[in-house]
């Protein structure tokens, strides 16, 4: 899969649940296998995360033939007390960007002096 970053060891700022939600926000018909590849997770882990998100009302899906189409609940409030009042839409506005914004062309990247 093109544009997928290499795996990373150590801690990160974003949870796997947030990553999966952001991938689904980018493509509401994303396959489990593609979500797993983008998030660098196993398909089983993605299935569990989607089940968690559905169980708590952050996500739902409709089966259309062989494809799932996901629906995110943008007004749902985040779970952690430190984020009290922040919604899924607020989180996704930080995480989801157009592909062009994620991988700017070399000539448009800011120059960093050596």
């Amino acid at each position: 899969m093109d544009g997928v970053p290499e795996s990373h060891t150590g801690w990160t700022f974003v949870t796997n649940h947030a990553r999966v939600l952001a991938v689904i926000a980018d493509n509401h018909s994303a396959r489990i296998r593609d979500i797993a590849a983008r998030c660098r997770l196993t398909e089983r882990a993605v299935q569990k995360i989607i089940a968690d998100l559905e169980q708590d009302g952050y996500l739902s899906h409709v089966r259309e033939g062989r494809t799932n189409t996901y629906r995110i609940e943008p007004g749902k409030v985040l779970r952690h007390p430190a984020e009290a009042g922040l919604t899924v839409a607020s989180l996704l506005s930080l995480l989801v960007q157009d592909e062009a914004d994620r991988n700017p062309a070399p000539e448009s990247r800011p120059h960093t002096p050596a």
Side-chain angles (χ1 to χ4, degrees):
M1 184 176 215
D2 290 334
V4 177
E6 292 301 315
S7 61
H8 174 75
T9 58
W11 66 273
T12 63
F13 285 100
V14 180
T15 68
N16 289 338
H17 284 66
R19 283 189 190 94
V20 167
L21 203 58
V23 171
I24 291 170
D26 268 347
N27 178 0
H28 290 281
S29 298
R31 297 179 306 172
I32 299 269
R33 135 183 357 174
D34 297 330
I35 297 168
R38 278 262 311 266
C39 295
R40 298 292 185 182
L41 299 169
T42 65
E43 289 180 32
R44 183 180 293 270
V46 170
Q47 289 171 335
K48 169 87 171 80
I49 289 168
I50 288 173
D52 288 346
L53 293 169
E54 286 185 318
Q55 181 179 355
D56 288 344
Y58 289 93
L59 186 66
S60 60
H61 76 276
V62 174
R63 188 87 173 155
E64 296 176 357
R66 296 178 60 190
T67 305
N68 285 326
T69 300
Y70 298 97
R71 183 178 188 293
I72 295 171
E73 294 298 329
K76 183 92 169 149
V77 177
L78 301 181
R79 293 171 41 130
H80 196 281
E83 287 96 32
L86 292 177
T87 63
V88 169
S90 300
L91 173 66
L92 291 175
S93 72
L94 296 172
L95 297 177
V96 177
Q97 301 172 0
D98 289 333
E99 196 64 34
D101 291 341
R102 249 185 244 159
N103 299 311
E107 63 275 0
S108 66
R109 290 185 188 136
H111 176 68
T112 306

